Amino acid sequence: MFPVRRALATALAVLLVTGATACSDDRDGQAETVTRLDVGVVSVIDVAPLYLGISKGFFSARKLQVTPTPRQGGSVIVAAVVSGNQHIGFSNNTSLLIAASRGLPLRIVAAGNQAADGDYAAIFTRADSRISSPKDLIGKNIAVNNLNNVGPLSINAALQASGVDITKVKFVEVSFPEMGAALAQRRVDAAWAVEPFATAIKAAGGAKVVLRPYPLVAPHFPVASYFTSQSYAASDPDVVDRFRQAMNESLTYAQNHPDEIRKILPTYIDLTPEIAAGVVLPEWSTDIGAPLLQRTAKLAHEYGYLTTEPDVARLVGG
């Protein structure tokens, strides 16, 4: 490659990674700078406020052009944010705490969502199963989407609160979309599913709820957060602060307008409007929930997901 072409390619790569800006003329003839942000997300109900906030103009009002980029999971998003390939990411808090305990330089910038009551997240068994209480799960295997993560953590805590010896329960990794089939085909004894997969399992028939873990862990349990790297938070604090403001406005609006949330779900998740109308929505609040994050870290340490507890105050910017 010629030197000039190489230089142009390098410059283009830098713009894509560090956050290119776009200019538009205002009425006074002055250039107005808009910052582009690439936000890594998982295509789940929990991130609906981000999409709704974009459509309502909460981000553009703060001169931010936000593009959600779906990824497979929180660990992939963490890697992308730490490397600088994405500016901000969304992940469950257990993954963030594990990453922080390993020395990855992360900073939570806004709350993601909190667990709701009901079947927002529940352990299901077959209708003909003899499992009817948490103690019946002793000696059984439970499908979870990831081992050593928020699913097993919340289940362990709930089982302990129910007087169950967690060492006698086995977790099996199964993707959320496959859980209903795994349960019906008797490959697992029970399955921990979150919305919208919980609604899909119920809609298929032949399933019953044995345990709803989150309410037994803590009311308003903080499931996930939006985060960035410590280096980006230090180099572009104004951009991060504007994202936090817009995200907080989006979270508050989402909590107060569930009908609008349900309408936007099928625009980024493969859901029919009928299923979207019936899913149990999580809670959305601007409270990051630092005390409960500290408790989550202690539980993760107790269950062996991490060897040392991270500095939660540093993670939340304290």
Side-chain angles (χ1 to χ4, degrees):
M1 181 182 291
F2 293 111
V4 173
R5 292 181 180 175
R6 186 181 297 113
L8 288 173
T10 301
L12 178 60
V14 170
L15 285 174
L16 289 173
V17 171
T18 60
T21 58
C23 295
S24 59
D25 293 332
D26 63 16
R27 293 184 178 181
D28 297 325
Q30 300 294 320
E32 182 181 31
T33 301
V34 175
T35 302
R36 298 182 182 133
L37 289 179
D38 183 0
V39 180
V41 298
V42 182
S43 296
V44 290
I45 289 176
D46 310 45
V47 297
L50 177 69
Y51 287 87
L52 186 57
I54 293 171
S55 70
K56 302 298 291 188
F58 299 154
F59 293 92
S60 60
R62 292 172 174 85
K63 300 179 183 178
L64 297 176
Q65 182 180 322
V66 174
T67 302
T69 301
R71 300 274 188 171
Q72 283 187 321
S75 60
V76 177
I77 297 173
V78 167
V81 170
V82 171
S83 67
N85 288 324
Q86 288 188 303
H87 309 100
I88 291 172
F90 174 90
S91 173
N92 75 78
N93 287 321
T94 303
S95 289
L96 294 180
L97 291 165
I98 292 173
S101 75
R102 294 173 178 169
L104 294 182
L106 304 178
R107 178 70 55 83
I108 291 176
V109 299
N113 69 290
Q114 297 78 35
D117 292 334
D119 294 343
Y120 163 71
I123 295 179
F124 295 90
T125 62
R126 293 178 298 276
D128 62 355
S129 172
R130 294 183 179 180
I131 300 172
S132 59
S133 71
K135 290 186 177 181
D136 293 332
L137 292 168
I138 293 175
K140 303 299 190 296
N141 54 56
I142 304 173
V144 294
N145 67 313
N146 287 122
L147 301 177
N148 300 339
N149 215 290
V150 65
L153 182 141
S154 62
I155 295 169
N156 279 337
L159 289 176
Q160 286 180 318
S162 302
V164 176
D165 183 352
I166 63 174
T167 65
K168 296 181 179 179
V169 175
K170 180 182 178 181
F171 295 113
V172 179
E173 193 168 87
V174 179
S175 67
F176 279 133
E178 294 296 321
M179 284 188 181
L183 192 61
Q185 296 165 8
R186 302 179 184 274
R187 288 186 275 134
V188 294
D189 300 306
W192 176 75
V194 301
E195 288 288 31
F197 307 101
T199 290
I201 288 176
K202 290 185 292 185
K208 61 183 179 181
V209 174
V210 175
L211 182 66
R212 298 175 177 88
Y214 281 133
L216 291 179
V217 181
H220 317 294
F221 182 81
V223 178
S225 298
Y226 292 89
F227 68 99
T228 189
S229 65
Q230 290 180 6
S231 60
Y232 190 74
S235 64
D236 292 89
D238 177 63
V239 173
V240 172
D241 187 56
R242 281 185 279 142
F243 176 85
R244 179 187 296 109
Q245 293 173 19
M247 197 66 242
N248 285 345
E249 185 175 4
S250 301
L251 292 166
T252 301
Y253 189 89
Q255 182 64 24
N256 294 324
H257 297 82
D259 289 343
E260 292 188 44
I261 284 290
R262 295 183 187 281
K263 288 180 181 178
I264 207 165
L265 289 177
T267 67
Y268 73 95
I269 306 179
D270 186 16
L271 289 179
T272 64
E274 292 74 21
I275 292 180
V279 297
V280 178
L281 299 177
E283 296 177 355
W284 288 292
S285 165
T286 60
D287 183 11
I288 292 173
L292 287 176
L293 287 181
Q294 188 68 62
R295 184 182 176 192
T296 302
K298 290 184 179 298
L299 289 173
H301 185 255
E302 176 184 343
Y303 302 146
Y305 302 169
L306 46 85
T307 56
T308 58
E309 292 182 29
D311 186 344
V312 173
R314 178 175 175 78
L315 182 61
V316 300

